[in-house]
């Protein structure tokens, strides 16, 4: 009797996820919330609160959250509809070889975010508990937490789900407690935010909100391809609007109250040392294992090596770069905000223009390079970085889509 061959690649690195392998609402909900519950977003919330008054803070968080939620919601729809990961979607939008550009960009940024997170944990642990030790201990903490996070990413979506079920409730409870305590002790939010330096504009704040998670948001299809369609869209929008907004409030309110700009020391200054360690560790773990997962898929697309070995490579890179990335956080955030939205915009436009291309697995008929998409990413990045007015992410998306359409017109004219 002929036996059915077992499918060994549980990550579906180079193929679409079959419908019978899709997860329901709660599994996807906890994975996506775990992804967006990130200490770097709390850190961004602190910076927003220190630079904006309460009205400006609310405007930046809400407007930025709506843009981010809409952006990721559409990508979530595409990922669940097709069952394809981000890199396989880029095969269709950018070409089989052209996809290497967005894969490299997303991989490096997600691996980079993991490095930021590792140092965010290592620095306060050393400073509080072992202040007189040398840098060797800082690196030891980076390596230990890096190995732990790499291990959960190695086991794929199931590993991400298990970690998220533990961490998400912990972060929500402790973060809410810190925010409520700061509000009560500080005499209300208006009084707390009155301490702001006023050093940010609302537009700059919106850009920071979008930039805080536009890299992870662009990689949304990597996770929701394991979901049924309706849960994918709902959980993505909730996670990137509500979940990310909560992180800004947790960090912003407590940070404005204490006047500190590192979320660990914010909570420690409120007498919450043990909760600070738990929140920091849980935050970093749930997001960084998702980041390494995404980074590994992108490297797999470029190298054609399966995801699991690439997780180990991604983890090693994030460990090596951790300290440098931590010390250049603001510049990294600005770069992400201005560069990455153009990728998601082009992917979205191409999907709705060429749906048939996304429903076939016959890559022989795909272009090797879709130069309009490639040029669009470059043009969008330049626009996001150098146009001195408006919201950088929106500028990047508009210019990227314009470049894409012009190139498509030229290509179709030549083909005719």
């Amino acid at each position: 009797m002929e036996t059915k061959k077992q499918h060994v690649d549980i990550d579906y690195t180079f193929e679409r996820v079959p419908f019978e392998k899709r997860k329901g609402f709660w599994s996807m909900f906890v994975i996506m919330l775990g992804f967006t519950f990130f200490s770097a977003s709390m850190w961004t919330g602190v910076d927003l609160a220190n630079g904006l008054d309460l009205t400006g803070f609310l405007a930046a968080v809400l407007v930025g959250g709506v843009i981010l939620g809409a952006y990721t919601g559409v990508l979530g729809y595409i990922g669940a509809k097709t069952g394809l990961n981000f890199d396989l979607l880029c095969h269709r939008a950018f070409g089989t070889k052209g996809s290497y550009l967005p894969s490299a960009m997303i991989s490096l940024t997600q691996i980079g975010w993991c490095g930021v997170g590792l140092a965010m944990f290592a620095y306060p642990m050393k400073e509080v508990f072992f202040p007189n030790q040398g840098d060797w201990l800082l690196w030891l903490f980076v390596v230990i937490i890096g190995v732990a996070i790499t291990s959960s990413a190695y086991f794929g979506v199931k590993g991400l789900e298990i970690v998220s079920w533990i961490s998400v409730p912990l972060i929500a409870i402790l973060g809410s407690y810190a925010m409520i305590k700061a509000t009560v002790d500080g005499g209300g939010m208006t009084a707390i935010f009155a301490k702001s330096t006023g050093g940010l504009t609302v537009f700059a704040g919106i850009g920071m909100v979008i930039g805080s998670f536009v890299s992870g948001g662009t990689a949304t299809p990597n996770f929701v391809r394991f979901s049924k369609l309706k849960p994918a869209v709902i959980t993505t929008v909730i996670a990137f609007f509500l979940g990310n907004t909560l992180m800004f409030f947790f960090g912003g309110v407590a940070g404005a109250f204490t006047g500190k700009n590192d979320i660990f020391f914010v909570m420690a200054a409120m007498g919450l040392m043990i909760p600070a360690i738990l929140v920091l560790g849980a935050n970093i773990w749930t997001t960084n294992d998702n980041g390494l997962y995404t980074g590994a898929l992108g490297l797999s697309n470029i190298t054609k090596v399966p995801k699991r070995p690439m997780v180990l490579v991604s983890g090693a890179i994030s460990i090596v770069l951790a300290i440098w990335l931590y010390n250049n956080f603001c510049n990294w955030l600005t770069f992400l905000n201005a560069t990455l939205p153009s990728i998601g915009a082009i992917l979205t436009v191409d999907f709705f223009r060429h749906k048939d291309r996304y429903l076939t697995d016959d890559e022989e008929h795909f272009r090797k390079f879709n130069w309009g998409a490639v040029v669009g990413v470059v043009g969008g990045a330049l626009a996001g970085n150098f146009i001195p007015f408006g919201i950088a992410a929106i500028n990047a998306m508009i210019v990227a889509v314009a470049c894409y359409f012009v190139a498509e017109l030229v290509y179709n004219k030549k083909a005719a």
Side-chain angles (χ1 to χ4, degrees), residues 260-284:
K260 297 185 181 296
N261 63 357
D262 187 299
I263 192 60
F264 180 90
F265 294 109
V266 165
M267 296 186 71
M270 297 170 64
L272 302 172
M273 177 63 74
I274 299 302
I277 295 171
L278 294 175
V279 166
L280 193 65
N283 257 289
I284 288 168

Side-chain angles (χ1 to χ4, degrees), residues 75 78 112 117 136 149 181 231 241 256 275 370 372 387 398:
L75 290 173
I78 294 171
W136 68 269
I149 290 170
K181 179 176 171 57
F241 179 67
N370 183 350
I387 293 178
I398 291 172

Side-chain angles (χ1 to χ4, degrees), residues 26-355:
W26 289 109
S27 293
M28 194 51 51
F29 181 65
V30 75
I31 289 172
M32 296 308 292
L33 269 187
F35 191 26
T36 57
F37 276 17
F38 187 29
S39 292
S41 295
M42 297 173 77
W43 191 357
T44 302
V46 175
D47 290 339
L48 289 170
N50 288 334
L52 295 167
D53 60 16
L54 180 57
T55 301
F57 178 86
L58 291 173
V61 170
L62 292 177
V63 174
V66 167
I67 294 171
L68 197 57
Y71 176 79
T72 56
V74 173
L75 290 173
Y77 171 84
I78 294 171
K81 183 74 173 177
T82 62
L84 297 170
N85 64 36
F86 168 81
D87 304 283
L88 293 178
L89 291 171
C90 288
H91 278 210
R92 279 90 176 152
F94 291 82
T96 53
K97 302 293 185 184
S99 68
Y100 294 174
L101 174 63
S103 288
M105 292 171 67
I106 291 296
S107 293
L108 291 176
T109 51
Q110 284 296 286
I111 292 168
W113 272 122
C114 184
V116 170
L118 297 180
M120 284 184 73
F121 182 83
Y123 265 111
M125 291 296 289
K126 176 186 177 297
E127 302 245 346
V128 171
F129 298 108
F130 307 98
N132 298 321
Q133 296 295 325
D135 286 345
W136 68 269
L137 187 60
L138 181 67
W139 280 105
L140 180 60
F141 280 128
V142 167
V143 171
I144 290 172
I145 188 66
V147 169
I149 290 170
T150 302
S151 299
S152 60
Y154 183 85
F155 291 105
V157 169
K158 189 61 181 176
L160 308 184
E161 183 181 352
I162 292 170
V163 172
S164 295
W165 272 114
I166 298 168
S167 299
V168 166
L170 183 67
I171 297 165
I173 293 169
L174 295 178
S176 297
Y177 177 77
M179 182 177 67
I180 293 168
K181 179 176 171 57
T183 303
V184 173
D185 293 349
M189 286 195 181
T190 302
I192 290 172
F193 279 85
K195 302 175 183 178
S196 170
T197 62
L200 282 176
T201 65
V202 173
F203 273 150
I206 293 171
M208 290 174 68
V209 170
I210 297 170
S212 69
F213 233 102
V214 73
S215 173
T218 304
T220 295
N222 285 341
F223 312 106
V224 298
R225 65 195 172 111
F226 287 95
S227 173
K228 297 171 184 175
L229 186 59
K230 189 173 179 180
V233 176
I234 294 173
T235 57
T236 298
V237 173
I238 290 175
F240 281 93
F241 179 67
L242 179 61
N244 213 26
T245 296
L246 282 175
M247 292 297 101
F248 294 132
F249 271 94
F250 290 168
V253 174
F257 172 64
T258 62
K260 297 185 181 296
N261 63 357
D262 187 299
I263 192 60
F264 180 90
F265 294 109
V266 165
M267 296 186 71
M270 297 170 64
L272 302 172
M273 177 63 74
I274 299 302
I277 295 171
L278 294 175
V279 166
L280 193 65
N283 257 289
I284 288 168
W285 199 323
T286 54
T287 301
N288 284 6
D289 57 0
N290 283 266
L292 288 184
Y293 182 88
T294 291
L297 287 174
L299 294 181
S300 292
N301 180 46
I302 297 169
T303 64
K304 307 309 175 189
V305 175
K307 184 223 98 182
R308 284 190 168 184
M310 289 297 100
V311 166
L312 303 180
V313 172
S314 300
I317 294 172
S318 70
I319 290 171
V320 171
L321 294 178
I323 305 301
W324 181 86
L325 288 168
Y326 178 88
N327 292 322
N328 292 273
F329 177 77
C330 289
N331 292 335
W332 189 250
L333 192 64
T334 301
F335 170 78
L336 293 179
N337 173 50
T339 303
L340 296 176
S342 55
I343 297 175
I346 288 172
L347 200 158
T348 298
V349 171
D350 192 77
F351 170 78
F352 286 107
R353 290 190 74 240
H354 303 290
K355 283 187 179 180

